Amino acid sequence: ENAEELSILKTGMGFQGFVQSDWWATHHTSVNQGLDQDMPGTPRDHFTQDKLARADAAAVNESCVRILSAMYRANLMEDTKCTPPHCSDYFLKNVTSSKHFALAQQIAAQSVVLLKNEGAALPLSNVGAKTIAIVGAAADAKAYNPNGSGQDGLGDKTYDSWNTGDIYSGGGSGHVVGGYTVTALEGLRRRAEAEGIDVVVSATNDPRAAASVALKADVTIVVTGSWSGEGADRDDLSLSRS
């Protein structure tokens, strides 16, 4: 709804697309200010036919041109697979393949960022690490499925179940439920076995339990994690939501 910023975007930066609000994020019929589309388009929205009729006609026309231009550039008029509500077969079709699995694994591996490696501690080998300890509840965290029985949530009253996430995927409309999940514990244990390294585990956030298994190991790997969900702010940035 900021006319100055939207003018910079469209005029100053030459943006050729259209500007869409987040769901229920606009509070006025702000097409005059440069907003092109109000989502999700429910009866309480601000871009009804009556309200747009009272807006500047040139602004409405420009929004229409921007939206339709994007639709034509994407060939939506000819290439649309289905029109809701007749999309169940298309949306629910299982297109998983071994190539998809391999690509997902490659992307996940390449997204890992090593912040520090003091004393060349990594990579681990059975020369300096005969036994490793893996600690932290996030090491064996379960994936959350918001469908079916998952609608009951995880007992966290701060978040409604629909936008509950897990350490593998944020909560909300973009949440992805994988066909399977390789936990950090499973992955580390598998790699350690291949290297001939023994593993001791405390898959909890109990400091005493962690210290106990750490005393049995040459190296301790602490697995932490957290998540956030759409539509609500976290109280803090702690890692306690793992």
Side-chain angles (χ1 to χ4, degrees), residues 215-230:
L215 291 174
K216 304 173 185 177
D218 303 301
V219 174
T220 298
I221 299 175
V222 181
V223 182
T224 64
S226 191
W227 59 268
S228 59
E230 179 183 359

Side-chain angles (χ1 to χ4, degrees), residues 130-193:
K130 301 294 184 183
T131 301
I132 62 173
I134 301 174
V135 303
D140 198 30
K142 302 297 185 289
Y144 175 70
N145 189 341
N147 300 306
S149 60
Q151 290 286 355
D152 294 334
L154 297 176
D156 187 333
K157 303 304 181 182
T158 305
Y159 284 71
D160 294 329
S161 59
W162 77 272
N163 65 354
T164 296
D166 54 43
I167 66 169
Y168 311 106
S169 179
S173 55
H175 185 72
V176 175
V177 181
Y180 71 95
T181 300
V182 178
T183 67
L185 176 58
E186 291 172 327
L188 289 168
R189 190 175 254 160
R190 194 179 304 164
R191 183 60 184 268
E193 181 180 347

